[in-house]
């Protein structure tokens, strides 16, 4: 008993763990405990007391009220001098106040997220620790606790979390471990999390999809959509369940706003035809190259040129956002012509091989003639006998 | 007499014809034994990158070996190096920007230094680099 | 014309005073060109004239030239193999790349490679056909026991050359088919242990490749040469005597005519090989993937029958038990002469022999198809 008491008193937590063992254990694993922060630094009270009445004296804060928490954390985390040694930013509270979560909390709505909802209460870990709920790959799940199916934040709409998990960004981030793939905070902001305004969506998407944004700004959709109050990129590509764009869907997407017999729809259709044509050409050329490589022929040059063609095609796809047919036509045409070149050259080489077959027939004439001559010699030797 | 001449002619014709087999076989063997000069058939470990003199300071030259593009760069301080010409993000072919001495990717605006380090954009890995030799006035990239 | 032959004769005379030309030529003919020995004490032209003047048995027609064809194809394989060896690099890292260079970069490289492969397959076919002929004619009865044994061992050596050659080819299909053949071999009790020790476990590619290279280039060809020599030497001693009743057929050909026949056949075979090389080229294949067994693994065609034999037993028998039958078959195959010592002389037995032999051959063919069926069906 004395040993236990001594043991517990050696740690800055004091005696709190006698009644709160679970929290004590959780806290011991946290980054705060590593930095020798104690229970009383947040909760105040008397750490050496054993009975609740004595412990929970004075300025003790239970912190059960969620609205208190941001300010509590900010006591240290907004102090530049304290945070300087850890190189941590101090703008979290300020940002938080601008966020949707922060404004709701200020209004007294306790459903909104506070610091502990995302970072954990006692077992707070670094955000670079894979076990932390604020670790980049855990963020969708953390946000999904409220913005998921089970909660009613979204109302009757399908939840953002479910939608996100169906999208290509989730696949890239969670399945393919792609560190560049965005999760909730990349688009919505971390502490200043808020849904993007109508004219801002393209700027957010454009942080990575810069080529598409440049093209979009050149095109007629940019102004038209802002005027119509449409959320730019999201109008054609879903905001959370973003799918990898497939040119074959363009008819469906255009028809959401444009009539199927309109000139605009025509443009979309033409683009689809151009790009599909180029893609098919490249696929055919690739197949021929693969066929040639089994012969074997030198195919490395051709594969390199096909890569080049694919790069051009990759430039054609963002160019769709300009809604300008010439742009798309140009890139698709280059891709296609490279594919056609490669195909023609491989066909040439393969036909050279079929030249061998013609040579074979000629060779057989040669062989038969030789056999005939040998036969004559043979007959002559028999006659000589 | 005419018969004899014709006979001699045919005999010689047949002899030449038959010896063409020997010539053919020797020709095939000799052609085969002549080692191929083309470096691409000698293995893919060295890339020829053209004349060394004509690449000035601050200039880059794009070369291809088989499936892969490379850039041979002579930095402004005169160092020679070679980097892969494929962006480490989605393997788009890079473009050289002589003004900034950078390699730019047209797909998602990734930017690399001449030594292959990522400056900005989506790529997360630097470009692989290769040493460059100058042999008899020619640049050779060692893979 | 007189001038040229005169000069040729002068040259031969000059050389004959300094070297025993007849002996040198007889070394060549030891491997089968003549059916008799050359008398090495006479000068070349005389010795050749003497040998050519000997009567050629009537039945020395084309079925009998199979032995010679074996020799010629083997020489052909040696030639093309030699050319291939100029460029092939026998290390695991470089073997595939070196073959790529041969097939793509070297002029006519593709041709040499194709001919080497098809020549090898034809060699195997002819060896098998020769054995079938011997089997049907009872050419394993005394005094021809050794002829049969050498012929059987020649076939075994040729199949080993094929295994090792496939392995050296360093592409996925060949490597895995070679491995499968090896697994079958290793499973034979007693002999399998010996094989696996010499060949060394195939997984450890580094050692196996070097061993196979050496075996394919030096050991097995030398063995082949030796067996060929024994074969022809035996034939020279025994003569091409046929069974009673056919001895009196008059000779229809002379040796020179016979040699011309041979030349014609050689040209024809060359044509066939070239045809196969152009029309049915051996595909190049991918480099070896050690970790993944391909789905369409094919066992070499000549091993389909043993494979069928082994698989006919229930699978609860351990593989060495099932392969016991292979060992039995192999022993019977090689030691057939000592099992069937009846003389070759009575014509009345011929029909019975014929039927028995035919049944055995049919059984073998059946197992080949069965093995093929298992192979393709099972996959």
């Amino acid at each position: 008993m004395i040993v236990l008491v001594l043991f517990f008193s050696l740690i800055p937590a004091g005696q709190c763990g006698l009644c709160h063992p679970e929290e004590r254990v959780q806290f011991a694993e946290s980054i705060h405990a590593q930095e020798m922060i104690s229970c009383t630094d947040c909760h105040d009270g008397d750490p050496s007391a054993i009975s609740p009445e004595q412990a929970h004296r004075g300025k003790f804060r239970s912190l059960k009220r969620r609205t208190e928490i941001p300010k509590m954390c900010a006591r240290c985390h907004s102090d530049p001098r304290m945070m300087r040694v850890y190189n941590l930013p101090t703008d979290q509270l300020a940002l938080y106040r601008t966020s949707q979560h922060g404004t709701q909390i200020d209004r007294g709505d306790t459903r909104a997220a506070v610091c502990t909802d995302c970072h954990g209460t006692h077992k707070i870990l670094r955000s670079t620790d894979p076990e932390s709920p604020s670790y980049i790959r855990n963020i969708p799940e953390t946000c999904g606790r409220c913005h998921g199916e089970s909660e009613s934040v979204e109302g009757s709409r399908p939840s953002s979390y479910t939608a996100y998990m169906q999208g290509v960004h989730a696949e890239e981030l969670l399945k393919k471990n792609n560190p560049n793939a965005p999760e909730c905070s990349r688009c919505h902001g971390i502490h200043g999390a808020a849904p993007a305004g109508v004219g801002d969506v393209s700027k957010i998407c454009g942080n990575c999809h810069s080529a598409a944004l440049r093209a979009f700004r050149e095109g007629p959709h940019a102004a038209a959509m802002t005027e119509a109050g449409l959320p730019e990129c999201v109008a054609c590509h879903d905001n959370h369940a973003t799918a990898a764009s497939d040119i074959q869907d363009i008819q469906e997407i255009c028809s959401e706003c444009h009539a199927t017999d309109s000139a605009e729809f025509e443009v979309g259709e033409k683009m689809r035809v151009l790009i599909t044509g180029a893609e098919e050409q490249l696929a055919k050329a690739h197949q021929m190259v693969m066929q040639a490589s089994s012969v074997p022929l030198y195919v490395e040059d051709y594969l390199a040129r096909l890569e080049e063609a694919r790069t051009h095609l990759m430039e054609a796809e963002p160019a769709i956002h300009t809604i300008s047919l010439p742009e798309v036509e140009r890139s698709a045409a280059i891709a296609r012509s490279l594919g056609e070149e490669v195909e023609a050259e491989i066909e040439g080489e393969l036909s050279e091989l079929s030249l061998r077959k013609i040579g074979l027939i000629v060779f057989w004439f040669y062989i038969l003639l030789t056999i005939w001559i040998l036969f004559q010699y043979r007959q002559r030797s028999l006659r000589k006998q | 007499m005419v018969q004899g001449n014709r006979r001699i002619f045919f005999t010689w014709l047949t002899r030449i014809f038959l010896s063409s087999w020997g010539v053919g076989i020797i020709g095939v063997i000799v052609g085969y034994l002549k080692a191929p000069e083309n470096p691409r058939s000698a293995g893919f470990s060295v890339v020829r990158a053209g004349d060394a003199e004509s690449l000035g300071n601050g200039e880059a030259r794009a070369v291809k070996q088989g499936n892969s593009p490379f850039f041979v760069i002579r930095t402004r301080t005169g160092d020679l190096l070679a980097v892969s010409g494929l962006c480490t993000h989605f393997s788009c072919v890079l473009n050289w920007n002589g003004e900034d001495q950078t390699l730019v990717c047209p797909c998602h605006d990734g930017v690399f230094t001449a030594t292959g380090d990522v400056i900005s954009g989506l790529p997360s890995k630097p470009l692989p680099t290769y040493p460059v030799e100058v042999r008899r006035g020619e640049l050779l990239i060692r893979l | 014309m007189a001038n040229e032959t005169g000069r040729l004769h002068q040259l031969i005379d000059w050389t004959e005073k300094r070297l025993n030309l007849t002996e040198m030529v007889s070394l060549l003919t030891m491997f089968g060109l003549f059916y008799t020995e050359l008398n090495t004490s006479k000068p070349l032209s005389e010795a050749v004239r003497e040998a050519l003047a000997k009567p050629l048995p009537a039945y020395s027609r084309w079925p009998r030239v199979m032995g010679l064809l074996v020799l010629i194809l083997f020489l052909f394989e040696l030639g093309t193999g030699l050319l291939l060896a100029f460029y092939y690099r026998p290390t695991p890292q470089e073997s595939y790349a070196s073959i790529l260079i041969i097939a793509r970069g070297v002029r006519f490289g593709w041709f040499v490679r194709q001919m080497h492969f098809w020549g090898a397959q034809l060699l195997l076919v002819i060896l098998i056909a020769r054995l079938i002929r011997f089997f049907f004619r009872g050419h394993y009865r005394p005094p021809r026991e050794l002829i049969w044994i050498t012929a059987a061992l020649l076939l075994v050596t040729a199949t080993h050359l094929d295994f090792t050659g496939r392995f050296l080819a360093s592409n996925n299909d060949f490597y895995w088919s070679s491995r499968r053949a090896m697994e079958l071999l290793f499973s034979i009790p007693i002999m399998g242990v010996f094989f696996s020790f010499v060949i060394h476990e195939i997984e450890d590619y580094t050692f196996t490749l070097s061993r196979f290279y050496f075996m394919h280039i030096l050991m097995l060809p030398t063995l082949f040469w030796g067996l060929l020599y024994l074969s022809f030497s035996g034939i020279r001693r025994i003569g091409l005597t046929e069974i009673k009743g056919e001895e009196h057929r008059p000779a229809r050909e002379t040796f020179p005519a016979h040699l011309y026949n041979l030349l014609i056949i050689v040209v024809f075979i060359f044509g066939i090989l070239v045809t196969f090389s152009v029309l049915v080229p051996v595909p190049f294949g991918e480099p070896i993937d050690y970790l993944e067994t391909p789905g369409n693994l094919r066992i070499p065609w000549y091993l389909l029958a043993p494979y069928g034999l082994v698989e006919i037993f229930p699978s609860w028998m351990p593989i060495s038990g099932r392969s016991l039958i292979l060992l039995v078959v192999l022993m019977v195959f090689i030691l057939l002469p000592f099992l069937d010592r009846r003389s070759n002389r009575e014509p009345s037995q011929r029909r019975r022999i014929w039927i028995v032999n035919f049944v055995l051959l049919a059984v073998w063919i059946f197992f080949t198809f069965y093995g093929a069926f298992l192979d393709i069906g099972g996959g």
Side-chain angles (χ1 to χ4, degrees), chain A residues 180 210 298 300 308 366 370, chain B residues 20-21 41 64 66-67 109 122:
Chain A
N180 289 319
S210 46
Y298 276 114
E300 279 80 11
E308 218 184 289
Y366 193 71
T370 311
Chain B
S20 64
W21 273 94
S41 41
K64 255 186 233 168
N67 203 5
D109 293 338
L122 293 177

Side-chain angles (χ1 to χ4, degrees), chain C residues 181-194:
Chain C
M182 286 300 176
E183 275 168 25
L184 199 61
L185 265 189
F186 290 170
S187 69
I188 301 176
I190 307 166
M191 284 180 75
V193 175
F194 171 69

Side-chain angles (χ1 to χ4, degrees), chain C residues 168-374:
Chain C
L168 291 175
S170 301
N171 65 2
N172 214 12
D173 293 327
F174 279 359
Y175 167 75
W176 283 103
S177 71
S178 174
R179 241 193 110 147
R180 216 168 146 190
M182 286 300 176
E183 275 168 25
L184 199 61
L185 265 189
F186 290 170
S187 69
I188 301 176
I190 307 166
M191 284 180 75
V193 175
F194 171 69
F195 276 135
S196 68
F197 178 71
V198 168
I199 289 169
H200 187 81
E201 269 307 305
I202 242 175
E203 273 105 28
D204 196 347
Y205 190 50
T206 29
F207 290 122
T208 318
L209 190 62
S210 310
R211 290 182 187 208
F212 274 24
Y213 185 62
F214 172 69
M215 284 170 74
H216 189 83
I217 288 199
L218 212 49
M219 252 178 68
L220 289 170
T222 318
L223 187 62
F224 203 89
W225 274 122
L227 287 169
L228 268 181
Y229 171 70
L230 280 177
S231 204
F232 287 119
S233 159
I235 290 178
R236 271 197 297 277
R237 178 48 58 99
I238 297 168
L240 283 179
T241 357
E242 184 51 86
I243 44 179
K244 210 172 191 182
E246 286 203 353
E247 283 160 326
H248 299 305
R249 289 221 321 244
R252 280 214 276 157
E253 301 181 334
T254 58
F255 262 111
H258 182 67
L259 290 175
Y260 277 117
N261 281 353
L262 216 63
L263 210 55
I264 291 174
I265 292 181
V266 167
V267 170
F268 186 68
I269 284 187
F270 188 75
I272 294 203
L273 286 179
V274 172
T275 311
F276 270 97
S277 301
V278 172
L279 292 181
V280 195
V282 177
F284 203 73
E286 309 117 19
I288 301 180
D289 183 0
Y290 300 102
L291 303 173
E292 208 177 300
T293 316
N296 56 345
L297 199 49
R298 292 297 173 79
I299 208 168
W301 56 271
Y302 43 84
L303 276 188
L304 281 173
Y307 174 64
L309 259 178
V310 168
E311 291 299 315
I312 210 157
F313 288 97
S315 51
W316 50 260
M317 276 177 84
I319 185 79
S320 52
R322 282 185 271 161
S323 304
L324 197 60
I325 188 153
L326 279 186
L327 184 64
V328 169
V329 168
L330 198 62
M331 289 291 111
V332 167
F333 172 59
I334 294 181
L335 299 176
L336 185 63
F338 300 108
L339 298 170
D340 180 6
R341 310 212 79 186
R342 287 168 297 184
S343 174
N344 214 2
R345 306 247 150 218
E346 291 99 90
S348 60
Q349 281 193 356
R350 274 172 66 195
R351 180 174 290 181
R352 209 191 324 157
I353 294 166
W354 229 84
I355 294 175
V356 168
N357 296 349
F358 189 75
V359 164
L360 282 173
L361 188 64
V363 165
W364 190 257
I365 292 179
F366 165 72
F367 273 110
T368 306
F369 277 107
Y370 180 62
F373 166 72
L374 279 184

Side-chain angles (χ1 to χ4, degrees), chain A residues 176-212:
Chain A
K176 296 191 192 164
N177 275 333
N178 182 354
N180 289 319
E183 23 59 55
C184 320
S185 62
R186 270 276 273 263
C187 297
H188 291 291
I190 309 176
H191 294 107
V198 156
D200 297 333
V201 173
S202 58
K203 292 182 195 131
I204 293 178
C205 305
N207 275 330
C208 297
H209 298 274
S210 46

Side-chain angles (χ1 to χ4, degrees), chain A residues 275-342:
Chain A
I275 291 193
T276 314
E279 270 178 8
E280 277 171 6
Q281 174 63 48
L282 286 183
K284 195 158 51 126
H286 186 84
Q287 199 193 27
M288 285 199 76
V289 169
M290 286 295 114
Q291 202 187 354
S293 79
S294 70
V295 168
L297 287 176
Y298 276 114
V299 293
E300 279 80 11
D301 277 348
Y302 298 120
L303 286 173
R305 281 152 73 184
L306 284 182
E307 277 299 317
E308 218 184 289
R310 275 202 201 95
T311 312
H312 282 285
L313 199 57
M314 261 186 121
E315 286 173 26
E317 279 167 358
I320 296 176
H321 294 92
T322 60
I323 322 291
S324 144
L325 204 55
E327 282 279 334
V328 177
E329 211 164 14
R330 194 163 44 90
S331 303
I334 297 178
R336 197 193 178 125
S337 73
L338 274 175
E340 280 168 359
E341 247 175 61
V342 167

